Amino acid sequence: KAGVTQTPRYLIKTRGQQVTLSCSPISGHRSVSWYQQTPGQGLQFLFEYFSETQRNKGNFPGRFSGRQFSNSRSEMNVSTLELGDSALYLCASSSLTSGGTSGGPVGDEQYFGPGTRLTVT
Amino acid sequence: SQELEQSPQSLIVQEGKNLTINCTSSKTLYGLYWYKQKYGEGLIFLMMLQKGGEEKSHEKITAKLDEKKQQSSLHITASQPSHAGIYLCGADIYGYALNFGKGTSLLVTP
């Protein structure tokens, strides 16, 4: 079974530009989550999609958005890039088949992709 | 939000030695995940623990979740250079996302 794939692997953008990152989950997985990893803040949750619906969003500004397609592939978009957006962006897919409940377990292992390294200059 | 604290922040051990990494939560853990990350790369899933007192092993790595489900430990026996990397513990939030600790950087010397 192929793992989670992310494209592109590396990206260099300038401030003010926008960027779109793509994530293809493991076949059969319908839940896709996005995370941002920086040396200072560590790994932080951005948002999660299930069946084309965003179910929750982390504490990030509205410049960060995403979507999920009917084949479960997901994209995230960052508009008006800032230097602080330089990070490793990771997506994870899970076979969670129903909506989670607050405080309950994720339900299944989350498998991560290799990440997209975004550098904003 | 659920805060996860990992200790130590970094670890240098000689090949063949055992080591333990700890992960402590400010709240009861409903699901605790351990991942390994090579520098600048994605996360490799190691183990998931859900029940108090649960213990799982894979090759030379053993993870435990205490009875109160607020602390987990990851133990590596007879460390090898291939064990080097960053170990991250994650706890579920919202029911479908993970909150991570800052990570423990492990270096294994010959």
Side-chain angles (χ1 to χ4, degrees):
Chain A
K1 215 178 202 182
V4 179
T5 58
Q6 291 186 245
T7 56
R9 292 293 311 278
Y10 302 92
L11 207 48
I12 300 175
K13 292 284 188 179
T14 56
R15 276 185 300 175
Q17 287 186 314
Q18 74 166 19
V19 67
T20 299
L21 312 181
S22 179
C23 172
S24 292
I26 291 172
S27 178
H29 285 191
R30 294 163 64 187
S31 172
V32 175
S33 300
W34 287 89
Y35 295 82
Q36 181 197 65
Q37 186 177 35
T38 59
Q41 299 299 318
L43 261 169
Q44 292 185 292
F45 170 69
L46 278 158
F47 28 65
E48 187 259 359
Y49 286 87
F50 179 81
S51 291
E52 302 177 65
T53 301
Q54 184 184 92
R55 294 196 292 190
N56 214 317
K57 193 172 190 289
N59 190 24
F60 280 83
R63 299 186 297 107
F64 292 82
S65 63
R67 59 177 176 170
Q68 186 179 34
F69 302 94
S70 58
N71 61 358
S72 294
R73 188 177 70 85
S74 178
E75 289 182 346
M76 69 162 282
N77 183 276
V78 187
S79 62
T80 319
L81 284 165
E82 300 177 358
L83 294 178
D85 297 333
S86 295
L88 180 67
Y89 290 89
L90 296 162
C91 80
S93 77
S94 168
S95 63
L96 185 65
T97 55
S98 60
T101 55
S102 178
V106 174
D108 203 348
E109 297 91 346
Q110 285 211 337
Y111 294 94
F112 283 77
T116 293
R117 171 73 63 185
L118 172 65
T119 302
V120 183
T121 61
Chain B
S1 64
Q2 189 157 38
E3 299 295 330
L4 288 177
E5 196 166 314
Q6 282 187 241
S7 62
Q9 284 187 325
S10 63
L11 203 50
I12 302 174
V13 299
Q14 194 173 24
E15 186 175 356
K17 298 293 186 183
N18 303 335
L19 64 107
T20 299
I21 298 169
N22 293 302
C23 177
T24 303
S25 170
S26 58
K27 299 179 182 179
T28 300
L29 295 163
Y30 290 97
L32 190 286
Y33 296 71
W34 283 101
Y35 289 88
K36 177 187 173 185
Q37 184 179 31
K38 291 286 191 181
Y39 296 97
E41 298 181 9
L43 276 62
I44 300 169
F45 173 78
L46 295 175
M47 276 167 277
M48 175 179 75
L49 305 167
Q50 289 184 291
K51 300 176 183 176
E54 188 174 9
E55 179 176 320
K56 288 186 178 179
S57 294
H58 177 66
E59 298 181 343
K60 295 184 179 180
I61 301 176
T62 300
K64 300 177 185 179
L65 183 62
D66 74 337
E67 290 290 345
K68 291 184 179 180
K69 298 201 295 182
Q70 284 190 286
Q71 188 165 4
S72 178
S73 61
L74 186 82
H75 184 78
I76 298 177
T77 303
S79 58
Q80 302 168 353
S82 61
H83 288 129
I86 300 171
Y87 289 82
L88 293 146
C89 64
D92 65 343
I93 53 175
Y94 313 126
Y96 37 75
L98 297 177
N99 190 33
F100 286 91
K102 296 291 186 187
T104 295
S105 177
L106 172 63
L107 180 63
V108 180
T109 61

